[in-house]
DNA sequence: ATGACGATTTACT
DNA sequence: GTAAATCGTCATA
């Protein structure tokens, strides 16, 4: 079992966001079941200058503290009174930059994920492309909550990233704007989201950007 | 102490 | 497309 090293994480957020595409997020659930998914969509949050980042103006609070940690630290936060989202910290110590994991293609532990994801009203299980196609969905499916913030993913025994076998072809990577960002001035239109072209597991696809890619 | 809001998801019209 | 759900966090006082 090989995993991403400190060195791999210790780069700027946009670069890490693109390099994570195709890598595998692994989570060993509390019951011991191994859950895993291929990372297919990421966003970069670029620190004190980035008006959309929790670390804008170097805001350092109990919640955002993990963002100031070393590359490879997890940053999980709670929002809307019911959802969790997971980031992987990039850069160097005290540089509050991170990559939001927005979607996975589930590869291991699908049964467990279907259990973790709330069943539909009619009782039918969610289809596979609805298990991890969003930042809060993937946390729910993988059993990741705020208790898992601030972990060192280079050594933790229940949460880590395994490197991709090969880099995706550049023309298979779609670049577009971040989702759910509307009060962030100039940063609203920054091209800081990346995803694998054509993947049905992505949260929000951008047909125009896919044509360009 | 208080109020406004959120890096979302789901169900419903 | 629109709206509700639901509460921790953060800024202001």
């Amino acid at each position: 079992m090989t995993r991403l090293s400190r060195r791999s994480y210790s780069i700027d957020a946009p670069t890490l966001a693109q390099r994570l595409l195709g890598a595998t997020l692994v989570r060993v659930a509390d019951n011991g079941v191994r859950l895993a998914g291929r990372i297919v969509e990421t966003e970069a949050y670029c620190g004190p200058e980035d008006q959309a980042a929790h670390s804008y103006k170097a805001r350092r609070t109990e919640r955002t503290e993990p963002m100031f940690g070393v590359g490879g630290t997890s940053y999980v936060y709670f929002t809307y009174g019911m959802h969790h989202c997971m980031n992987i910290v990039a850069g160097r110590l005290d540089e509050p930059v991170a990559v939001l994991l927005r979607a996975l293609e589930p590869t291991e532990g699908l049964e467990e994920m279907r259990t973790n994801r709330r069943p539909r009203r009619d009782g039918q299980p969610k289809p596979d492309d609805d298990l991890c196609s969003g930042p809060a969905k993937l946390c729910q499916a993988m059993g990741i909550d705020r208790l898992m913030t601030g972990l060192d993913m280079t050594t933790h025994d229940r949460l880590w990233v395994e490197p991709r076998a090969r880099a995706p072809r550049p023309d298979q990577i779609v670049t577009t704007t971040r989702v759910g960002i509307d009060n962030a001035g100039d940063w609203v239109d920054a091209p800081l989201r990346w995803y694998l072209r054509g993947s049905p597991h992505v949260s929000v696809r951008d047909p125009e950007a896919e044509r360009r890619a």
Side-chain angles (χ1 to χ4, degrees):
Chain A
M1 174 213 75
T2 174
R3 59 169 76 195
L4 255 56
S5 64
R6 177 85 60 222
R7 185 174 170 184
S8 315
Y9 290 117
S10 303
I11 51 178
D12 63 281
T15 301
L16 179 60
Q18 292 166 81
R19 289 187 185 168
L20 282 173
L21 292 177
T24 297
L25 178 69
V26 180
R27 154 74 168 145
V28 178
D30 297 334
N31 61 13
V33 174
R34 185 178 143 117
L35 307 171
R38 179 176 172 238
I39 298 170
V40 297
E41 179 185 356
T42 57
E43 283 179 358
Y45 287 85
C46 303
E49 310 297 310
D50 184 350
Q51 296 180 61
H54 290 166
S55 54
Y56 178 48
K57 293 180 176 170
R59 204 160 47 210
R60 189 166 190 161
T61 65
E62 185 175 351
R63 178 180 67 149
T64 63
E65 184 60 30
M67 283 193 77
F68 291 80
V70 290
T73 300
S74 62
Y75 170 49
V76 181
Y77 67 92
F78 182 66
T79 190
Y80 288 101
M82 64 190 91
H83 298 302
H84 293 274
C85 298
M86 174 181 172
N87 296 258
I88 299 178
V89 175
R92 305 257 190 161
L93 184 65
D94 286 328
E95 257 189 296
V97 297
V99 174
L100 174 69
L101 301 183
R102 284 199 57 91
L104 308 175
E105 174 185 330
T107 55
E108 293 179 62
L110 295 250
E111 276 306 315
E112 186 76 6
M113 292 188 194
R114 290 185 196 103
T115 302
N116 291 343
R117 291 277 288 131
R118 201 164 117 216
R120 295 192 309 198
R121 176 164 296 243
D122 60 10
Q124 290 301 112
K126 296 243 171 36
D128 290 356
D129 63 6
D130 196 23
L131 291 176
C132 298
S133 53
K137 292 180 183 180
L138 74 88
C139 282
Q140 193 182 354
M142 302 280 281
I144 294 168
D145 64 19
R146 78 196 100 170
L147 296 177
M148 303 202 70
T149 199
L151 306 179
D152 181 358
M153 297 177 69
T154 65
T155 57
H156 199 269
D157 62 354
R158 290 183 176 275
L159 186 68
W160 66 88
V161 176
E162 298 183 354
R164 55 196 188 188
R166 46 193 311 182
R169 281 173 40 188
D171 66 320
Q172 294 309 111
I173 296 179
V174 180
T175 305
T176 183
T177 54
R178 294 177 290 186
V179 176
I181 305 296
D182 32 44
N183 279 17
D186 296 340
W187 290 81
V188 168
D189 299 314
L192 293 172
R193 181 165 76 105
W194 295 271
Y195 68 86
L196 293 181
R197 189 181 203 172
S199 172
H201 299 91
V202 163
S203 66
V204 181
R205 291 176 60 183
D206 181 338
E208 193 170 314
E210 293 198 31
R211 235 174 289 127
R212 282 197 306 269

